[in-house]
Amino acid sequence: MSSEAFFDIAFLWYQHSYAVYEQKGVEIMELHITCIPGDGIGPEIVAEAKKVLVKIASVYGHKMVFEDILMGGASIDAYGVPLTDEAVAKAKAADAVLMGSIGGDTTTSPWYKLPPNLRPEAGLLGIRKALNLFANLRPAVLYDELAGACPLKEEISGQGFDLLIMRELTGGLYFGERKTIEENGVLKAIDTLTYDENEIRRIAVKGFDIARKRRGKVTSVDKANVLDSSRLWRKVVEEVAKDYPEVTLEHMLVDNCAMQLVKDPAQFDVILTENMFGDILSDEASMVTGSIGMLASASLNDSKFGLYEPSHGSAPDIAGKDIANPIATVLSAAMMLRYSFDLDREADAVEAAVKQVLKEGFRTGDIMSEGCKRVGCSEMGDLLVSRINRL
Ligand code: NAD
């Protein structure tokens, strides 16, 4: 079915359900979601995630209003810049933002002949800054049905894992003062790692809040045996932990954490860490799932507002072929329901539909294995929609 026909039918069904729920006096949420389809496979995968959200709205009686904005290459083509002030204003006015991905082929696309501040990625950095998104969440889940894609030994992957990396996104080494100087004819480069207690406290609060919604364990990762910034990190995290007696806190050094992620990933629930450690550990955690098309992510600010996007890029090599895996974007939409709207049952319903479709053996090309049924991007979206039930 074409996306247009789907949205027409879904809208009529949704209007009917909305009226019924209103009559029954069930709490109805009206949610305004700004969508950034972006570039490459972005528009294809966002269309499927919207289908899933429309179905959730009709099943649970919510009202969802979508508005698209341009960012990245699509915005460069239309306006000459990767992000306009108008697009930022629309994103700020929404309750949450759902994004596909931005960027093109970095060797052939004309976007990469532009100065760095006009390239697609500048749009992403710009919107993160404008929306003050300081907390990055990257879940790494190994589904039983995809355990074969996990590069770890079977005795480890057999236990499965479901962890989430909570990474500080706007401070630390990547944002500290830096310079390169010459001293006595020798070049010297200096990068500065700075965190103040407020920056640490706000990310720690997010980490504990989210652990409370999960299995109630925080592993705070630092290098407190060497770095002052890590010692302050540990002190503030311990202070925050006092407000969450139901959450267990443990500390782990970053080098040990890197080893534990491949030795025993099942031990982790929420890994809370600073910017650079989180950058490295979240990529490591993604790789141990083995399935790039399945990995969701979210970036949150001080309120419940967030930008939700798959962890992968715009995959220009498969764009427009209807073969991309939309599940990472669909799972990002589930995170939006859970973390921005507190709609945990609705998020559970989306995640259950993903598990069901995998259990029935449907796979896009990237996660295909012997004996399974290969489907395209839009068919996968239709399957997910049809497996969503009220829990
Ligand atoms: P990529 O993640 O786009 O692709 C890597 C490989 O994984 C490709 O072979 C691709 O076909 C495959 N792949 C990715 N997502 C898939 C999906 N959903 N289904 C099936 N296969 C999938 O990484 P890349 O090729 O290094 O980057 C391409 C572009 O994306 C670049 O311009 C890069 O800057 C951009 N990018 C954007 C974001 C973002 O928008 N947040 C993140 C990473 C990369």
Side-chain angles (χ1 to χ4, degrees):
M1 194 191 307
S2 74
S3 289
E4 290 76 19
F6 175 86
F7 280 113
D8 286 347
I9 295 167
F11 187 65
L12 287 174
W13 170 244
Y14 155 74
Q15 276 186 321
H16 164 75
S17 315
Y18 189 64
V20 171
Y21 279 99
E22 247 181 347
Q23 279 165 17
K24 284 185 184 165
V26 174
E27 194 199 345
I28 296 168
M29 288 185 75
E30 180 168 324
L31 304 165
H32 291 255
I33 300 165
T34 292
C35 294
I36 306 174
D39 308 315
I41 59 170
E44 299 166 54
I45 54 182
V46 168
E48 301 316 309
K50 275 190 192 170
K51 278 186 194 172
V52 167
L53 287 172
V54 167
K55 176 72 183 278
I56 284 288
S58 79
V59 169
Y60 285 91
H62 303 299
K63 183 171 184 183
M64 290 198 197
V65 182
F66 299 101
E67 182 173 25
D68 284 0
I69 58 172
L70 297 182
M71 199 175 92
S75 176
I76 296 171
D77 291 346
Y79 307 116
V81 288
L83 181 66
T84 61
D85 292 344
E86 291 72 27
V88 170
K90 283 182 182 168
K92 278 187 177 168
D95 296 310
V97 178
L98 178 67
M99 188 178 125
S101 44
I102 51 106
D105 185 321
T106 49
T107 49
T108 59
S109 165
W111 298 329
Y112 295 92
K113 298 205 165 44
L114 295 166
N117 64 329
L118 290 179
R119 290 181 192 174
E121 286 69 19
L124 189 55
L125 295 179
I127 203 158
R128 280 185 181 151
K129 192 162 177 223
L131 301 176
N132 196 20
L133 304 171
F134 66 86
N136 182 242
L137 284 66
R138 294 249 307 254
V141 181
L142 185 66
Y143 292 90
D144 290 347
E145 293 75 14
L146 302 181
C150 174
L152 303 179
K153 279 192 209 153
E154 214 178 308
E155 63 200 68
I156 301 171
S157 64
Q159 296 177 46
F161 54 85
D162 177 357
L163 60 93
L164 184 146
I165 304 215
M166 167 72 75
R167 165 188 171 195
E168 203 289 326
L169 205 56
T170 57
L173 199 59
Y174 297 171
F175 290 87
E177 205 180 305
R178 68 178 57 105
K179 60 184 171 187
T180 304
I181 54 172
E182 196 175 320
E183 271 181 4
N184 304 323
V186 177
L187 283 176
K188 185 173 177 176
I190 301 163
D191 293 293
T192 322
L193 200 179
T194 319
Y195 270 110
D196 71 39
E197 58 179 305
N198 296 330
E199 289 173 295
I200 301 170
R201 190 165 292 109
R202 64 180 188 172
I203 185 82
V205 166
K206 285 273 181 217
F208 280 89
D209 279 346
I210 278 162
R212 199 153 57 176
K213 274 182 174 262
R214 292 172 49 95
R215 298 192 305 281
K217 182 178 172 191
V218 168
T219 305
S220 175
V221 172
D222 59 39
K223 190 72 182 168
N225 53 343
V226 179
L227 301 174
D228 263 16
S229 57
S230 281
R231 285 190 273 271
L232 181 62
W233 180 278
R234 207 174 263 218
K235 178 175 177 291
V236 175
V237 168
E238 278 175 2
E239 283 166 17
V240 171
K242 290 186 186 135
D243 295 332
Y244 297 83
E246 70 280 37
V247 177
T248 308
L249 168 66
E250 68 174 12
H251 299 283
M252 193 176 278
L253 294 177
V254 62
D255 37 354
N256 186 24
C257 184
M259 289 192 286
Q260 295 298 327
L261 272 172
V262 290
K263 194 172 161 231
D264 179 17
Q267 71 183 283
F268 296 112
D269 180 16
V270 173
I271 293 177
L272 170 67
T273 193
E274 60 96 78
N275 201 345
M276 184 178 63
F277 297 159
D279 188 9
I280 298 164
L281 294 176
S282 58
D283 271 8
E284 184 189 358
S286 309
M287 280 319 294
V288 295
T289 68
S291 314
I292 193 172
M294 301 289 298
L295 297 166
S297 88
S299 303
L300 308 179
N301 72 11
D302 260 330
S303 66
K304 290 203 167 279
F305 185 90
L307 183 147
Y308 297 84
E309 57 173 319
S311 293
H312 59 73
S314 60
D317 52 331
I318 58 166
K321 296 181 179 164
D322 192 29
I323 57 172
N325 186 350
I327 295 179
T329 317
V330 168
L331 290 172
S332 304
M335 290 181 82
M336 179 172 78
L337 295 169
R338 196 182 299 285
Y339 297 124
S340 280
F341 307 147
D342 279 325
L343 295 174
D344 289 351
R345 275 178 325 161
E346 288 81 342
D348 288 345
V350 174
E351 290 165 3
V354 169
K355 284 189 187 135
Q356 181 61 29
V357 166
L358 294 176
K359 202 168 152 197
E360 290 173 35
F362 294 105
R363 303 278 189 276
T364 45
D366 57 313
I367 52 172
M368 185 62 192
S369 60
E370 218 183 308
C372 292
K373 288 158 253 177
R374 185 188 287 261
V375 295
C377 183
S378 56
E379 195 180 349
M380 179 56 90
D382 291 341
L383 284 162
L384 292 170
V385 166
S386 68
R387 301 307 189 268
I388 285 177
N389 295 306
R390 194 178 173 83
L391 297 180

